[in-house]
Amino acid sequence: MKQDALTPEKLREAYQHVWFVVARSQDIVTPQSATLLDQNLVVFRDSSGVARVTDRRCIHRGGNLADGVVAGDNIACPYHGWQFDGQTGRCAHIPSLPEGGRIPPKAEIKAYPVIERFGHVWTCLGDPVFDLPDPPEIADLELEWRSAEPIHAACGFMAATENFRDMAHFPFVHEPSMGEVDPVVSDLDVKRDGREVWATYYYEQIPSAKFSAVGDAQMQYHSYAPGIATILYDFGPETGKRYLVDFPSPVSYDKCIIFWGVATDRDFRGGSVDDILAVETMVFNEDTPVLEGLEPKEVPLAGQAFEVSAPADVYTLNYRRATQYAVQAIQQARGLTEEAAAGNGRVQVG
Ligand code: FES
Ligand SMILES: [Fe+2]
């Protein structure tokens, strides 16, 4: 695949077919505004508790449905009270119509598919090409989840995803939380298959660091390109396991909201899930200023900027290949490319 297939326009087109988070589950007690790939949306829970995502703009006179209220299974516009069904987007009620009045057939907004998983609400603007993953490494765990406060970051969502699963920045960005981590990154065991990438990193306890109060950890990274990255922390049989998820969501090409969360396994003895959330919040807050200083603001997949890589970037390079693979697979599924995704990301990475 040529790099021109990864221009911002082509990526935007492809990412219409990827699931992204648009809200935390706990926040949709009232309708919430969201923007995904420049599309304004409203996220709400209907009368039966099902999460719904529709366009935010009312097609009557442009009212903001996120300022509206839920009426049964509909979202009601704050301007003239038109109601739209959360599942179909069809206008279900126009208060100004006399008894028996006909709802115009074009009175419809777009409604999108929704999945709630990992404490978050996910949607896809087009037909999803990949399923939302069920990571096998947590299948046997009994997790208690906490969704973190989402972080609005002035950088692209791929740059945020890369940062989450980068190990070489620990001693420079995370000295306050992680302590004096050895800057040498060695023994990275990285594996990729299609859009999935795995890596393991051994974090040795640094007694002065808040982050490592619990002890040494085997950090098992698993990413699903383009925007899902996870870490299973295994502290050994005495202390147990905890889990960390990162779901940066593209507001636009160079802006994202980093949705993320933590979970502890039932046998975890390294602190409460709220303790873990507090420590990881510190870590995330250390990353944001660095992310916002990046040039360019998004990973230059089309070769827009010159970059040089070192061996410690092997996971990043594999994540980029996985992203290219994902985009290629989407383009193929959409009939936009002749090339087979069967090449498994056989593409050139800078
Ligand atoms: S603008 Fe929404 S009902 Fe009029
Ligand atoms: Fe970081």
Side-chain angles (χ1 to χ4, degrees):
M1 183 173 57
K2 293 189 216 81
Q3 286 195 336
D4 65 4
L6 298 165
T7 58
E9 296 69 34
K10 291 278 168 59
L11 291 174
R12 193 178 176 287
E13 196 174 72
Y15 292 159
Q16 307 278 314
H17 304 284
V18 172
W19 291 100
F20 288 108
V21 171
V22 283
R24 290 193 296 186
S25 290
Q26 69 197 67
D27 291 333
I28 57 169
V29 281
T30 55
Q32 296 293 308
S33 182
T35 303
L36 176 60
L37 295 161
D38 299 305
Q39 181 65 44
N40 290 332
L41 305 168
V42 55
V43 190
F44 64 98
R45 216 177 268 296
D46 72 15
S47 63
S48 42
V50 179
R52 301 292 187 197
V53 178
T54 70
D55 279 344
R56 196 184 75 185
R57 178 181 178 273
C58 172
I59 41 76
H60 176 222
R61 289 296 179 268
N64 182 345
L65 295 172
D67 291 335
V69 293
V70 176
D73 294 339
N74 306 328
I75 180 82
C77 181
Y79 198 177
H80 312 94
W82 287 28
Q83 293 182 12
F84 300 90
D85 182 287
Q87 188 176 8
T88 64
R90 275 197 281 279
C91 182
H93 181 56
I94 297 180
S96 61
L97 276 181
E99 181 76 28
R102 171 172 162 275
I103 293 174
K106 284 187 183 157
E108 191 175 351
I109 57 174
K110 264 196 102 172
Y112 301 91
V114 179
I115 294 175
E116 270 195 276
R117 192 174 295 171
F118 314 119
H120 289 82
V121 181
W122 301 70
T123 198
C124 181
L125 296 179
D127 300 323
V129 168
F130 308 109
D131 291 336
L132 195 56
D134 254 326
E137 60 271 26
I138 58 166
D140 294 332
L141 305 185
E142 205 175 283
L143 296 174
E144 182 181 0
W145 287 88
R146 286 290 180 281
S147 302
E149 187 66 40
I151 300 168
H152 294 248
C155 71
F157 86 100
M158 293 183 293
T161 311
E162 276 200 8
N163 162 257
F164 176 86
R165 6 113 359 272
D166 175 284
M167 298 95 171
H169 75 290
F170 291 168
F172 305 97
V173 177
H174 298 304
E175 207 270 330
S177 60
M178 289 189 174
E180 288 173 20
V181 177
D182 182 354
V184 176
V185 179
S186 50
D187 303 330
L188 271 188
D189 180 18
V190 177
K191 196 175 86 184
R192 183 179 69 83
D193 184 14
R195 74 175 187 123
E196 290 179 65
V197 194
W198 298 262
T200 52
Y201 176 86
Y202 193 74
Y203 175 86
E204 209 176 305
Q205 183 173 36
I206 298 166
S208 61
K210 257 209 163 68
F211 184 80
S212 54
V214 182
D216 295 358
Q218 184 78 32
M219 294 165 71
Q220 298 167 9
Y221 287 75
H222 187 184
S223 308
Y224 297 79
I228 297 175
T230 70
I231 307 173
L232 181 64
Y233 290 79
D234 187 348
F235 296 91
E238 292 292 296
T239 310
K241 294 176 179 170
R242 69 176 179 88
Y243 195 50
L244 175 66
V245 293
D246 182 59
F247 311 128
S249 186
V251 171
S252 59
Y253 180 69
D254 55 8
K255 269 201 202 95
C256 69
I257 300 179
I258 302 169
F259 293 96
W260 66 280
V262 297
T264 51
D265 192 19
R266 68 176 167 266
D267 298 326
F268 183 69
R269 276 178 289 275
S272 72
V273 68
D274 293 307
D275 295 339
I276 299 302
L277 181 63
V279 170
E280 291 290 0
T281 298
M282 212 175 144
V283 176
F284 272 75
N285 288 341
E286 289 162 356
D287 280 310
T288 309
V290 174
L291 281 173
E292 296 195 323
L294 295 180
E295 275 185 63
K297 294 271 176 216
E298 181 55 300
V299 177
L301 286 180
Q304 299 97 323
F306 178 67
E307 291 180 325
V308 180
S309 299
D313 299 313
V314 61
Y315 187 26
T316 294
L317 295 176
N318 273 280
Y319 162 74
R320 291 187 180 187
R321 288 191 187 98
T323 301
Q324 288 165 317
Y325 169 84
V327 171
Q328 193 177 11
I330 294 165
Q331 290 174 337
Q332 192 198 22
R334 306 288 305 154
L336 297 174
T337 175
E338 297 294 299
E339 263 178 272
N344 198 14
R346 161 185 46 82
V347 286
Q348 198 193 328
V349 177

